Amino acid sequence: MVEETNPETSNPKPETKNWYISWFDTPYYHILYKDRNYREAQIFMDNLTHYLNLPEKAKVLDLACGKGRHAIYLNQLGFDVVGADLSENSIAEANKNANENLHFVVHDKREPFEQKFDAIFNLFTSFGYFENREDDLKTLIAIKESLSEYGFAVIDFMNSQNVIDNLIPQETKEVDGIIFHIKRSVIDGFIRKEIDFDDHGEAFHFTEKVRAYTLEDFQNMMTETGIYLLDTFGDYKLKKFHKHTSERLIMIFK
């Protein structure tokens, strides 16, 4: 499968060259992925913040936060959290949960923040969307420049090799009365998902497209950008990463 990556208008915008702008800003994105495991996400945040030994009220950035499920829970754990996402609709929804120590902003992850953070989390395969590798390098540099002197960053990515090895070419999924027809493929170094469905007599087509980066690819990019990879894990319980069998590729760096 292509990872469910991190939309409320009655008439979604037509698909643009940047697929993530059109798809993430529709309500259908959230309908399709409404069955995500929120408890698993919370366990991951518990394990991760414990591993990083974050101090009380640490400043945390949830980069590409969507509607803010991780950011909200991190705030409940006692951290001062900023959630950032390119989707205006997602940020508008997330802002319903804002408080004195939880803020949400519309932000392009290729741009660094003036504020410095003790931890920056880029979760649930919210990386590798761009057509050009240079934009992914810019994202890594922006993360690095937004960290405090003693801060740590985390990218939670799919394990591309495992995804490719177990790719399901086609499936049909019904959610809330909408039948989604999903086709998956690997083309030009991207894992692609084509999503077609009808709603109220109107046909829709959207694409998800994520670059199939491996651990070696990330290591090369981090070397280029002066980033130090400190540790890798293969699942949300922080077990060892195995190239062919791990579900996730979780990287800790600074």
Side-chain angles (χ1 to χ4, degrees):
M1 69 174 186
V2 173
E3 179 59 23
E4 296 95 339
T5 46
N6 293 317
E8 291 309 299
T9 60
S10 58
N11 293 303
K13 303 172 186 176
E15 188 170 5
T16 65
K17 181 178 179 181
N18 295 328
W19 64 266
Y20 46 88
I21 294 176
S22 56
W23 178 221
F24 292 168
D25 250 357
T26 76
Y28 298 109
Y29 169 79
H30 296 285
I31 291 171
L32 179 57
Y33 296 129
K34 67 183 295 184
D35 60 351
R36 287 172 171 167
N37 190 328
Y38 285 85
R39 181 56 189 151
E40 183 182 54
Q42 292 178 351
I43 291 171
F44 179 35
M45 293 299 95
D46 290 340
N47 291 334
L48 194 55
T49 54
H50 179 75
Y51 170 82
L52 295 175
N53 195 26
L54 293 179
E56 186 178 356
K57 296 187 178 180
K59 296 185 181 301
V60 178
L61 172 63
D62 182 5
L63 189 62
C65 68
K67 288 188 175 182
R69 62 174 177 146
H70 292 102
I72 292 166
Y73 185 66
L74 286 164
N75 177 242
Q76 291 171 353
L77 293 178
F79 301 116
D80 187 349
V81 183
V82 173
D85 200 278
L86 195 61
S87 167
E88 295 181 4
N89 288 324
S90 291
I91 291 299
E93 187 68 23
N95 260 322
K96 296 176 182 178
N97 300 282
N99 60 52
E100 184 180 354
N101 297 306
L102 176 62
H103 301 92
F104 294 95
V105 296
V106 176
H107 181 84
D108 188 322
K109 60 188 174 185
R110 290 168 289 191
E111 299 294 330
F113 279 78
E114 290 185 13
Q115 180 181 357
K116 303 300 182 184
F117 296 92
D118 300 307
I120 297 176
F121 297 156
N122 180 248
L123 305 170
F124 213 65
T125 311
S126 299
F127 192 94
Y129 299 165
F130 301 117
E131 288 291 331
N132 299 315
R133 181 175 178 273
E134 289 300 315
D135 286 316
D136 291 325
L137 291 172
K138 287 179 182 177
T139 301
L140 288 175
I141 292 170
I143 291 173
K144 177 186 175 184
E145 292 180 351
S146 302
L147 284 173
S148 64
E149 182 179 359
Y150 300 105
F152 296 95
V154 179
I155 290 179
D156 161 35
F157 199 68
M158 62 182 171
N159 178 8
S160 297
Q161 189 61 58
N162 180 264
V163 170
I164 292 170
D165 289 345
N166 296 283
L167 200 71
I168 300 173
Q170 296 187 51
E171 80 168 306
T172 300
K173 183 176 181 180
E174 183 173 353
V175 187
D176 290 355
I178 299 174
I179 300 175
F180 294 91
H181 301 278
I182 303 167
K183 295 182 179 180
R184 300 177 178 88
S185 59
V186 183
I187 300 175
D188 296 331
F190 285 86
I191 300 173
R192 297 176 60 98
K193 182 187 289 185
E194 305 291 340
I195 303 164
D196 291 277
F197 57 93
D198 294 323
D199 187 35
H200 294 98
E202 187 174 356
F204 293 88
H205 173 83
F206 291 98
T207 298
E208 290 183 15
K209 180 177 172 183
V210 182
R211 195 177 290 274
Y213 284 130
T214 63
L215 174 57
E216 292 75 18
D217 292 327
F218 276 107
Q219 288 171 326
N220 290 334
M221 287 191 293
M222 288 178 181
T223 298
E224 288 181 51
T225 53
I227 285 171
Y228 299 96
L229 180 62
L230 303 174
D231 216 339
T232 58
F233 300 104
D235 64 19
Y236 292 145
K237 296 180 180 178
L238 304 188
K239 293 182 180 178
K240 184 178 178 180
F241 174 75
H242 296 281
K243 181 176 180 179
H244 289 282
T245 58
S246 292
E247 295 180 359
R248 309 298 303 167
L249 170 58
I250 299 166
M251 295 161 286
I252 316 293
F253 60 94
K254 65 181 305 177

